[in-house]
Amino acid sequence: MREVFTNVLSNAVKYSRDGGMIAISAASAQDGVTFHVADAGLGIPMEARSRIFTKFYRAPNVIEGIEGTGLGLYIVKAIVEKHGGEVTFDSGGKGTTFHIRMPLAAASASDGAVPSR
């Protein structure tokens, strides 16, 4: 899960140029927890949304000078799904929020901890 958060937060920082805000939050439910990472960056254009988790894909609005391989979100999705979770996003004209939903069983199995209630 460290890799998941490293990639999502790295993207939030890279695409929120000029000191844009990044907000991180979590919400628990009976069956799991959802983490939210919101930025005030470029946003994901409509035409790129269906491909954003594709290996080596980078959205066409990426500003020159922002480095990347197009693997980060592909890796995020693969790891989250391997743990039985789901990753989705919302993106308007500016900014993107990634939602990483993890079931409690996967969260406890990944670190050996027993969830508390």
Side-chain angles (χ1 to χ4, degrees):
M1 292 307 297
R2 182 178 313 161
E3 186 71 25
V4 167
F5 290 107
T6 297
N7 282 329
V8 172
L9 289 169
S10 172
N11 278 356
V13 170
K14 281 194 294 191
Y15 297 111
S16 293
R17 294 269 170 136
D18 302 324
M21 288 287 280
I22 297 168
I24 303 165
S25 62
S28 64
Q30 191 168 9
D31 63 342
V33 63
T34 302
F35 301 94
H36 308 279
V37 178
D39 67 54
L42 300 173
I44 300 169
M46 190 62 75
E47 67 273 11
R49 294 179 188 179
S50 65
R51 298 184 58 203
I52 206 69
F53 295 109
T54 303
K55 193 182 227 181
F56 300 117
Y57 181 74
R58 295 190 76 200
N61 67 331
V62 172
I63 296 172
E64 187 176 319
I66 296 178
E67 294 186 24
T69 61
L71 286 173
L73 292 176
Y74 170 80
I75 291 168
V76 164
K77 183 174 176 148
I79 292 171
V80 168
E81 289 180 350
K82 190 78 158 173
H83 287 285
E86 175 185 37
V87 59
T88 59
F89 66 91
D90 300 312
S91 189
K94 187 171 183 163
T96 301
T97 302
F98 280 90
H99 312 281
I100 302 162
R101 188 192 137 322
M102 298 300 295
L104 285 179
S108 63
S110 67
D111 64 8
V114 177
S116 60
R117 296 254 173 193

